[in-house]
Amino acid sequence: MACITIFNPSPTAVPLHHSRGNPKMSLPSTDPLTTAGRFLWGRSLPPQPLITAVRTTWSTVWHLMMRQLAPSSSTGSYSRPAGSFPSIDLALYPPTASLHLYAALSCPWAHRTLIVRAIKSLEPFLPVSIAAPGPDGPWEFPSSSVHAGDLVPGPDRANGRRTLRDVYGMRRGGYDGRSTVPMLWDVDKRDVACNESYEIIKFLNSWQRNADNNDIDLYPSQLQKEIEEWNRIIYPSVNNGVYRCGFAQSQEAYDEAVNALFDTLDTLESHLGTNRYLCGDVLTLADVCLFTTLIRFDLVYYVLFKCTKKKLVEYPNLHSYTRDIYQIPKVAETCNFEAIMDGYFRTLFPLNPGGIRPALPSACKPDVLSKPHGRDSVCSNGLTSFLVLSRGQSMQ
């Protein structure tokens, strides 16, 4: 039998390694921190005064870092800062406009833009530069990439800058705000066109270029009111809701956020039992916005953001719905699970100081996500898919 003391601040704590009848203890460690600890306290845990001092110091520093990383209200509830360039005028950017997209693979807000760009087949007309989190968090552009393709972190293909902050700083008058992704860059004016994800995907859906899938409408006029209503439900409780859980700085704020999150997921689970997509049989921007949160749920939010009431895989309709969208042509190519996990577990130091990345959940592996989803049978009005619907064709 082995006895392990999990936590006991008393100097008389039981040794971490004890084997009855075996006088041979663990081999001496050459690690300097372990050696120093053994010199000061032997095999006991540190004394209570030191533990109290470290806990108080760490708590103070943690709140200081979190205030900067995730601004909060007086109750400790996360308040997402508004974007500095929240809108874009379609009239200012005709089909011939020269634009460049800055995105990141780990960010769910940037992921929205990559999905719409792919579904609308805008790749030839909208180049992209993929940033990656730097050692201290800010978005950087790696000098080289060992992989082919444009959906990998690599150099800034529009301006040749080292960091995203450098790109923002190129605009006339400079910039001293948060340098966020996604960001749509006006190449000709050398200025930020927009850095609000929802406005960017609405713009890309309407930006008519000579693309194969330009007849696909993810924001049809007859459904815009319904799409906006879904976004009013999903954004605060799910898209931003997982962040309100993970970035909560008080128990009260966390409890409020996690209850709102799972109440909304329960509502969505019920709705998707009789609707293939949020707006019936039509894939819309509302589904794109929901998908980029759901695809990260068991991967990141369940563990790191403490969204632990249920896993996504425990919601049959939501999980099959996520697989349905994942299997739409070119969507899977926008989902880089290693980059997503690295972008959270190895970057958000206040939430994961050790920087250890957990194993990929089996339910999040591509082969599982590619299994038949059965959502075709949920279709209520005889339309085969959003691709068929967008062309005004019905099943014969």
Side-chain angles (χ1 to χ4, degrees), residues 204-224:
L204 295 182
N205 180 68
S206 302
W207 195 43
Q208 296 300 315
R209 298 300 297 257
N210 184 23
D212 294 337
N213 289 335
N214 254 340
D215 52 350
I216 295 173
D217 190 357
L218 301 173
Y219 194 64
S221 57
Q222 70 273 21
L223 292 175
Q224 287 179 8

Side-chain angles (χ1 to χ4, degrees), residues 20-321:
R20 182 178 296 176
N22 183 3
K24 184 178 180 180
M25 307 303 286
S26 59
L27 294 175
S29 172
T30 57
D31 173 58
L33 292 178
T34 302
T35 301
R38 293 280 174 84
F39 175 78
L40 292 171
W41 308 297
R43 293 185 178 273
S44 297
L45 290 176
Q48 179 68 47
L50 178 61
I51 293 174
T52 300
V54 170
R55 176 187 289 134
T56 301
T57 302
W58 167 244
S59 178
T60 301
V61 173
W62 181 84
H63 278 94
L64 179 64
M65 289 190 296
M66 287 297 293
R67 288 289 200 282
Q68 189 67 19
L69 171 69
S72 65
S73 67
S74 59
T75 62
S77 179
Y78 171 57
S79 300
R80 180 173 295 278
S84 301
F85 309 93
S87 62
I88 183 169
D89 187 349
L90 183 62
L92 297 178
Y93 297 96
T96 56
S98 183
L99 296 171
H100 190 88
L101 178 64
Y102 287 97
L105 301 177
S106 58
C107 173
W109 316 101
H111 194 183
R112 299 173 170 189
T113 65
L114 296 176
I115 290 176
V116 174
R117 174 179 178 264
I119 289 178
K120 297 284 291 185
S121 294
L122 293 173
E123 297 95 331
F125 313 102
L126 183 64
V128 63
S129 293
I130 302 295
D136 297 320
W139 299 111
E140 297 182 352
F141 300 102
S143 57
S144 62
S145 177
V146 298
H147 303 287
D150 62 357
L151 294 184
V152 290
D156 173 8
R157 294 169 176 166
N159 296 294
R161 300 292 169 154
R162 183 71 182 87
T163 70
L164 188 63
R165 174 169 290 279
D166 292 338
V167 178
Y168 272 88
M170 291 175 60
R171 64 183 306 270
R172 183 178 300 174
Y175 180 71
D176 61 359
R178 292 193 172 207
S179 303
T180 60
V181 289
M183 187 263 277
L184 199 59
W185 178 259
D186 186 324
V187 177
D188 295 328
K189 296 180 180 177
R190 295 170 65 86
D191 202 352
V192 178
C194 184
N195 67 352
E196 167 52 51
S197 65
Y198 190 59
E199 294 303 313
I200 292 176
I201 61 176
K202 285 199 298 183
F203 169 79
L204 295 182
N205 180 68
S206 302
W207 195 43
Q208 296 300 315
R209 298 300 297 257
N210 184 23
D212 294 337
N213 289 335
N214 254 340
D215 52 350
I216 295 173
D217 190 357
L218 301 173
Y219 194 64
S221 57
Q222 70 273 21
L223 292 175
Q224 287 179 8
K225 183 177 180 181
E226 188 174 353
I227 293 169
E228 295 300 327
E229 183 58 34
W230 274 117
N231 280 328
R232 278 190 287 271
I233 295 170
I234 292 169
Y235 171 77
S237 299
V238 180
N239 298 146
N240 199 46
V242 293
Y243 283 87
R244 291 176 60 228
C245 293
F247 291 167
Q249 296 175 44
S250 71
Q251 187 67 50
E252 176 188 4
Y254 168 78
D255 291 342
E256 179 183 352
V258 79
N259 289 332
L261 167 63
F262 283 94
D263 285 348
T264 305
L265 290 179
D266 289 342
T267 297
L268 292 168
E269 172 72 8
S270 176
H271 177 76
L272 292 171
T274 54
N275 294 270
R276 183 172 183 179
Y277 302 112
L278 292 176
C279 296
D281 298 312
V282 188
L283 184 93
T284 69
L285 294 182
D287 298 294
V288 173
C289 292
L290 178 58
F291 172 80
T292 59
T293 296
L294 296 183
I295 199 67
R296 288 163 173 74
F297 198 88
D298 290 357
L299 199 65
V300 173
Y301 304 140
Y302 179 83
V303 177
L304 188 65
F305 284 3
K306 307 181 186 70
C307 302
T308 48
K309 280 191 173 184
K310 291 174 74 173
K311 294 180 179 179
L312 182 69
V313 73
E314 296 177 65
Y315 289 101
N317 295 326
L318 277 167
H319 192 247
S320 60
Y321 164 85

